[in-house]
Amino acid sequence: MRIPSPEEIRALHEKYAPTAEAFTLVHTHCEIVWGIAEQLLTSPHLSHLDAELVRAGCLLHDIGVYRLYDDDGRLDHANYIQHGLLGQEILEREGFPESLCRFCSHHTGVGLTHHDIVSQNLPLPPADYLAVTAEERLVMYADKFHTKSRPSAYLSPDEYAAYVRRFGEEKVTAFEALRTEFGDPDLAGRVPGGCAPVLP
């Protein structure tokens, strides 16, 4: 499988971003998520992961957000949870393999289950959207530490754990398992905290 370069991925963001502001918000977030994942990848116990695949997954995971902007440049927050599937559709249309498309549709929260979708009446086709491979899990995990809220902000592991608790203790357990697998990122100098978290 050929993995697209950061330059190719940036061009894809530019192609789909409806405004320069949207491009800056989404692409910058994706780059920050890659920076966090790249730092975590320096741990010797993660040396078996495909760093190029993780990089591409981080840089592509939120490309579906662009499809949620209206003609006036407003983001449809009510349907934001659809951005993963919308991103998968974009990448499929661009001819990307499933292993890359899944980074879009399988990174939301700490994983969405069929039960989550039905019980919460979420606007998604009922199915399990769970990160399966270690690369998918790392992209999903790194995404939890930065929000695109305005202003964008970093979240510490404890802040995200507190945030995700509102969706049930099983989500906290899933997040803690990711912390055990990948470790806590060093967010020093990135002004963690002081934000109203939104689902990354």
Side-chain angles (χ1 to χ4, degrees), residues 10-108:
R10 180 186 176 94
L12 202 62
H13 277 264
E14 291 172 339
K15 176 179 178 179
Y16 285 96
T19 64
E21 182 184 18
F23 169 81
T24 298
L25 182 71
V26 175
H27 188 257
T28 299
H29 165 73
C30 290
E31 288 186 315
I32 289 169
V33 170
W34 163 234
I36 293 169
E38 185 178 29
Q39 177 199 114
L40 293 170
L41 280 169
T42 62
S43 177
H45 79 282
L46 298 179
S47 61
H48 64 286
L49 271 65
D50 185 333
E52 285 191 31
L53 184 59
V54 171
R55 181 188 66 207
C58 289
L59 296 178
L60 288 166
H61 77 280
D62 266 355
I63 199 161
V65 173
Y66 298 131
R67 299 254 321 262
L68 290 167
Y69 281 89
D70 66 18
D71 292 339
D72 295 321
R74 290 188 298 257
L75 186 62
D76 180 1
H77 292 281
N79 288 305
Y80 185 79
I81 201 159
Q82 296 177 3
H83 78 281
L85 286 181
L86 294 171
Q88 178 173 322
E89 290 173 6
I90 287 174
L91 296 190
E92 287 174 346
R93 191 165 55 245
E94 291 287 339
F96 284 83
E98 181 185 5
S99 55
L100 283 173
C101 297
R102 283 178 54 88
F103 285 109
C104 293
S105 53
H106 292 71
H107 78 272
T108 301

Side-chain angles (χ1 to χ4, degrees), residues 78-160:
N79 288 305
Y80 185 79
I81 201 159
Q82 296 177 3
H83 78 281
L85 286 181
L86 294 171
Q88 178 173 322
E89 290 173 6
I90 287 174
L91 296 190
E92 287 174 346
R93 191 165 55 245
E94 291 287 339
F96 284 83
E98 181 185 5
S99 55
L100 283 173
C101 297
R102 283 178 54 88
F103 285 109
C104 293
S105 53
H106 292 71
H107 78 272
T108 301
V110 289
L112 291 172
T113 66
H114 183 282
H115 175 74
D116 293 332
I117 292 164
V118 172
S119 65
Q120 298 175 44
N121 196 29
L122 301 176
L124 294 171
D128 288 329
Y129 302 98
L130 302 171
V132 174
T133 68
E135 286 84 0
E136 288 174 358
R137 291 194 302 275
L138 178 53
V139 171
M140 180 177 70
Y141 180 63
D143 183 45
K144 306 293 86 87
F145 301 108
H146 185 259
T147 75
K148 295 184 297 296
S149 56
R150 296 170 189 265
S152 65
Y154 289 88
L155 293 179
S156 71
D158 289 341
E159 286 173 315
Y160 188 80

